[in-house]
Amino acid sequence: ALFKNQWYLTSKYGINVTNAWSKTMGSKNIVVAVLDSGITKHPDLDNQVIPGYDFVSDTHSSNDGDGWDPNNADPGDWFGNEASSWHGTHVAGIIAAKWNNEGIAGIAPNVKIQPVRILGSGGEGTTSNLIKAINWATGVDVAGAPKNPTPAKVINLSLASLNSCASLGSLQATITAAFEKNVTIVSAAGNEANDNRLYSPTGCWHPISVGSSGFSGDRAYYSNYNVDLMAPGGDDSVSTGDANVPSAIYSTYNSGAYTLGSPNYAAEEGTSMAAPVVSGIVALLYSYNPNLTAEQVANALINT
């Protein structure tokens, strides 16, 4: 019902997704791990989600009163007077919102989403928990957590920190190990209009680093640069030409200002939105040919 708001799927500088859908709308055997703030109940997502895990270890910032556990629900990432972002829910919808008679359409609506919670209040997380979450998502044993029975082929990281990857050697080693298992990691470049290479994990070797473009196809005013790919992430400074169609990225959301409200939809902009556009495309590629290597996937996207 809200497909008309999703300019990024079909417009001139969108991704031509309907052409891809003539080949595949995704396979239920392909899992996309969304390492983010968790997920909320939503009619466009409930049947798309498989069990994940909560790797937010700090009980003060977790906002759910505990540390690691199997509950990957997003209790809200509010902090002080800062309202909750429902970030993970928005990202998940871009990738795999259900193809039905309401709401929006995900890019790969037949694949499965595995929410892995790593961001707590204020969107804060730690590198050590990120490393453990990447390992867990790829099926590696992680002490203190049960083994992941459904490892991911794609990992979406809609997060960026102003830290050179060279200073985080253990993170690079973890990402390299995932790449060698033919898991594609897609990483948001960041929203500081700065050099992507100064940030992690996007500046590490092997993740597909994604900057953000707007309706015009130009780099969004906020997007970091020196990236592997640009993808639609929205730009409020550029109009779509239709007052009823938002210039940001429309996806699943929640009405609660701080704590959980009711399911709804909202338009957001950022490289956090551009990354799951690419993750959705990667999920379609793996659905079409599950024997592709991570290097072949990256080359297919970047070279074309």
Side-chain angles (χ1 to χ4, degrees):
L2 299 173
F3 187 78
K4 64 183 183 299
N5 289 343
Q6 296 182 269
W7 60 265
Y8 57 94
L9 298 183
T10 58
S11 69
K12 181 178 180 180
Y13 298 108
I15 64 171
N16 195 19
V17 76
T18 50
N19 187 54
W21 286 343
S22 70
K23 303 294 184 182
T24 180
M25 295 183 80
S27 165
K28 65 180 180 181
N29 297 319
I30 298 300
V31 174
V32 182
V34 175
L35 276 56
D36 213 291
S37 64
I39 200 164
T40 63
K41 291 284 187 182
H42 199 289
D44 255 349
L45 293 173
D46 292 346
N47 292 331
Q48 314 299 84
V49 174
I50 61 173
Y53 207 74
D54 179 357
F55 281 99
V56 179
S57 56
D58 182 68
T59 56
H60 178 70
S61 64
S62 67
N63 279 356
D64 63 0
D66 55 30
W68 288 16
D69 63 28
N71 181 8
N72 55 35
D74 184 354
D77 59 1
W78 56 272
F79 179 76
N81 293 324
E82 184 179 333
S84 292
S85 68
W86 312 115
H87 196 268
T89 298
H90 198 272
V91 167
I94 295 169
I95 299 168
K98 187 177 181 180
W99 182 262
N100 54 19
N101 292 322
E102 62 178 296
I104 64 162
I107 292 165
N110 291 343
V111 306
K112 295 299 182 183
I113 293 290
Q114 184 170 66
V116 182
R117 188 167 180 250
I118 58 168
L119 302 177
S121 60
E124 295 297 317
T126 67
T127 300
S128 62
N129 284 338
L130 173 60
I131 289 169
K132 292 178 176 68
I134 292 172
N135 279 329
W136 186 86
T138 60
V140 175
D141 289 338
V142 174
K147 190 173 184 66
N148 181 0
T150 51
K153 283 295 289 180
V154 189
I155 295 176
N156 187 87
L157 300 176
S158 284
L159 50 95
S161 173
L162 185 54
N163 287 299
S164 164
C165 203
S167 66
L168 303 170
S170 53
L171 177 60
Q172 179 62 76
T174 301
I175 290 171
T176 299
F179 181 81
E180 290 174 348
K181 293 182 70 172
N182 291 318
V183 176
T184 295
I185 296 179
V186 180
S187 191
N191 303 327
E192 306 299 327
N194 202 350
D195 190 335
N196 165 76
R197 295 170 295 186
L198 302 175
Y199 292 75
S200 65
T202 177
C204 297
W205 288 105
H206 301 306
I208 298 175
S209 60
V210 183
S212 180
S213 59
F215 183 77
S216 65
D218 296 315
R219 179 173 69 89
Y221 69 92
Y222 54 81
S223 177
N224 286 357
Y225 47 84
N226 283 333
V227 296
D228 294 318
L229 289 175
M230 302 295 286
D235 186 340
D236 281 341
S237 70
V238 179
S239 171
T240 62
D242 184 339
N244 296 315
V245 177
S247 56
I249 304 299
Y250 208 70
S251 187
T252 44
Y253 207 66
N254 191 274
S255 67
Y258 295 92
T259 56
L260 202 63
S262 57
N264 66 356
Y265 301 86
E268 298 282 323
E269 66 177 14
T271 59
S272 282
M273 285 68 246
V277 169
V278 174
S279 290
I281 296 168
V282 172
L284 291 179
L285 277 168
Y286 278 129
S287 297
Y288 187 66
N289 183 355
N291 296 318
L292 290 170
T293 66
E295 185 171 9
Q296 286 174 323
V297 166
N299 287 340
L301 290 172
I302 294 167
N303 293 341
T304 60

